[in-house]
Amino acid sequence: MSKKILLPFGGIPLILTAQSCGEKTPAEQPKPLNIVYIMCDDHSYQTISCYDRRYMETPNIDRLAEEGTRFTNSFVANSLSGPSRACMLTGKHSHKNGFTNNEHGVFDGSQQTLPKLLQEGGYLTAMVGKWHLVSDPTGFDYWDILTGQGDYYNPVFIREGERVVRRGYSTDVTTDVALDWLSSLGGDKPFCLFLHYKAPHRSWMPDLQDLGAYDDKEFPLPDTFYDDYSTREAARKQEMSIIADMNVIYDLKMADRENTIHTPDNPALESYGRDLYRKDLPDGELVPGRMDSLQQAAWDAYYDPLIAEFKAANLKGNALSEWKFQRYMRDYCSVINSVDRNVGRVYDFLKEHGMLENTVIIYTSDQGFFMGEHGYFDKRFMYEESFRTPLIVRMPDGWKTPADIDAMVQNIDYAPTILEIVGLPVPEDIQGKSFLPLLQGKDPSAIGWRKALYYHYYEYPAEHSVRRHYGIRTARYSLMHFYNDIDEWELFDLATDPAELHNLYGTPGTEALTDSLKTELRLLQELYQDPITE
Ligand code: SGN
Ligand code: CA
């Protein structure tokens, strides 16, 4: 049982929840709560050890879960960067916030957003790192964002309109900027920091100190790596296959100095050269977003022998596919090493400054990511690995929150949850629901928590060729409709087919189930007022 303490703060009641049962209670004069919201780009839950122990260890992210709450059924509304960020900022589905896809989207910064509501409630707000919403950020007292997708080495930032090149590795320098901002804060105002890493986005370039970190590890091939996509047309028609679409030069860094590496499974990619990602530069010169000569030398010292080995091996067929999978996993996990280290830096900073007692730490990603399941990399699909996203919430010291929350939450819920945690009102038009009651240990059914999620992905025709689709997911079933230049439904029983290999749509005996899911889907489309129901 928890009790609520109402305190005046900035003219608005601040709700703090203290533990009862004789355990620790907040200090007599509780400080307003700060928020540190850490969001990675494309971080799969499969590569966070508190979610999945198969691949790697992430002790610092795990510590947040140990001291806080791990959400085991956390999802996005549209599995793509810009749209996800817009959903998070507004608490609304894509069709409502207007940012449906990366290709043509420009975020309308004049609309109501979480940072603006926090500012109005007396908060200092900052946006640091990947923004990806094209228009300039609004609602922030400080913003210092990566350009576009951002670069891994010596990245270019736009600091409140001014271009700044920062020497170093993206995840480190982004943390530096965030900690500098936190250090600059004085006074009594609480803050909300949005710390958005570029990592581990494609092309998965590790920090120099992490090169080779997983070379001794043989990653288990996912059971569905050689999926034949039978019964699933949209699943087959994509262009995000490790075997067919992942480029050994661009993605896996196998470019030799003479550009003699070819991609036998995809001749169209042969024209890619070494300079796609390897940046040979005159000594001492720093070209923004590119390695300097010292970084380049360390990079080459690691990759050159691998490139020679790869050329000599002349792999074909499954041997080449599985080699690609191993290299992908090694690079990706190496990039996560730096993420985890930097999450530790943020934690240590808060601890050293006595802020763990009044700061909420949230760790999440803009969407999930395929780690070879169905043979894929990338995301976009409503299939589980991409639809899900990691979510860990560490409430301030003194709170006792459930170790795990299994209710289905979605990124449109973040804004109302944060507003409710800090005691600010949640505007009526926000579509997400605050999951603060779940953090307080309330039973989902007792509070009428949602039983179904709505999803809508729009970016097609576009890179990776994932067809437009919308759908509904309940605790047991996933029903999706692919549309535009295709008209295909897919239905999965997640209880008997968690890998989503057997499309049950149209199979005898599923008529009643399909009808009821379709009815629920239409109700969700009405509820959220999505005009597209093709
Ligand atoms: C880039 C990547 C894609 C990726 C999109 C969207 N290609 O275009 O592989 O799907 O970003 O990612 S790359 O050749 O430029 O690396 S998102 O996370 O920003 O939505
Ligand atoms: Ca992303």
Side-chain angles (χ1 to χ4, degrees), residues 128-144:
V128 176
K130 183 171 171 182
W131 166 248
H132 210 201
L133 288 170
V134 186
S135 55
D136 280 353
T138 54
F140 299 100
D141 293 288
Y142 180 74
W143 55 273
D144 204 330

Side-chain angles (χ1 to χ4, degrees), residues 122-160:
Y123 271 71
L124 288 171
T125 59
M127 168 63 63
V128 176
K130 183 171 171 182
W131 166 248
H132 210 201
L133 288 170
V134 186
S135 55
D136 280 353
T138 54
F140 299 100
D141 293 288
Y142 180 74
W143 55 273
D144 204 330
I145 57 171
L146 290 161
T147 49
Q149 292 283 8
D151 286 294
Y152 276 111
Y153 281 89
N154 310 319
V156 184
F157 286 75
I158 306 291
R159 180 178 60 199
E160 300 187 327

Side-chain angles (χ1 to χ4, degrees), residues 40-42 78-85 102-103 130 132 148-149 198 201-204 239-240 250-251 272 276 366-369 377-380 457 459 463-464:
C40 267
D41 189 6
D42 295 0
N78 180 354
S79 183
L80 197 63
S81 166
S84 255
R85 288 157 207 272
N102 286 341
E103 287 231 324
K130 183 171 171 182
H132 210 201
Q149 292 283 8
K198 176 235 165 45
H201 192 273
R202 194 180 181 189
S203 60
W204 320 296
E239 292 169 6
M240 47 191 263
Y250 171 65
D251 290 310
Y272 276 114
L276 240 184
D366 63 342
Q367 5 76 199
F369 211 69
F377 63 102
D378 217 64
K379 53 269 177 174
R380 300 164 189 265
Y457 169 83
E459 193 174 273
E463 193 177 10
H464 298 302

Side-chain angles (χ1 to χ4, degrees), residues 41-206:
D41 189 6
D42 295 0
H43 193 180
S44 58
Y45 58 86
Q46 302 94 306
T47 50
I48 300 178
S49 41
C50 72
Y51 278 102
D52 188 334
R53 301 208 70 85
R54 286 176 298 168
Y55 300 140
M56 66 178 298
E57 294 297 318
T58 49
N60 290 295
I61 300 172
D62 290 7
R63 176 172 53 185
L64 298 178
E66 275 152 30
E67 297 177 359
T69 296
R70 178 184 72 145
F71 286 78
T72 59
N73 285 300
S74 156
F75 298 84
V76 294
N78 180 354
S79 183
L80 197 63
S81 166
S84 255
R85 288 157 207 272
C87 290
M88 179 278 283
L89 282 174
T90 60
K92 295 176 185 171
H93 279 282
S94 304
H95 60 277
K96 282 285 178 193
N97 66 49
F99 199 104
T100 58
N101 67 88
N102 286 341
E103 287 231 324
H104 309 290
V106 178
F107 186 69
D108 170 11
S110 70
Q111 67 186 301
Q112 169 185 285
T113 62
L114 172 63
K116 287 185 191 173
L117 293 164
L118 288 168
Q119 275 185 326
E120 284 163 22
Y123 271 71
L124 288 171
T125 59
M127 168 63 63
V128 176
K130 183 171 171 182
W131 166 248
H132 210 201
L133 288 170
V134 186
S135 55
D136 280 353
T138 54
F140 299 100
D141 293 288
Y142 180 74
W143 55 273
D144 204 330
I145 57 171
L146 290 161
T147 49
Q149 292 283 8
D151 286 294
Y152 276 111
Y153 281 89
N154 310 319
V156 184
F157 286 75
I158 306 291
R159 180 178 60 199
E160 300 187 327
E162 181 202 349
R163 191 168 181 272
V164 185
V165 182
R166 293 193 168 92
R167 193 181 275 267
Y169 185 69
S170 175
T171 313
D172 290 340
V173 298
T174 305
T175 309
D176 294 344
V177 175
L179 298 187
D180 282 352
W181 182 72
L182 289 182
S183 302
S184 76
L185 300 180
D188 299 330
K189 276 192 162 190
F191 63 81
C192 178
L193 165 68
F194 295 85
L195 172 53
H196 293 188
Y197 294 121
K198 176 235 165 45
H201 192 273
R202 194 180 181 189
S203 60
W204 320 296
M205 293 171 74

Side-chain angles (χ1 to χ4, degrees), residues 49 51 91 148 188 207 214 325 359 363 398 461 485 497:
S49 41
Y51 278 102
D188 299 330
D207 188 1
Y214 294 90
F325 170 73
T359 303
Y363 185 85
D485 63 354
D497 178 27

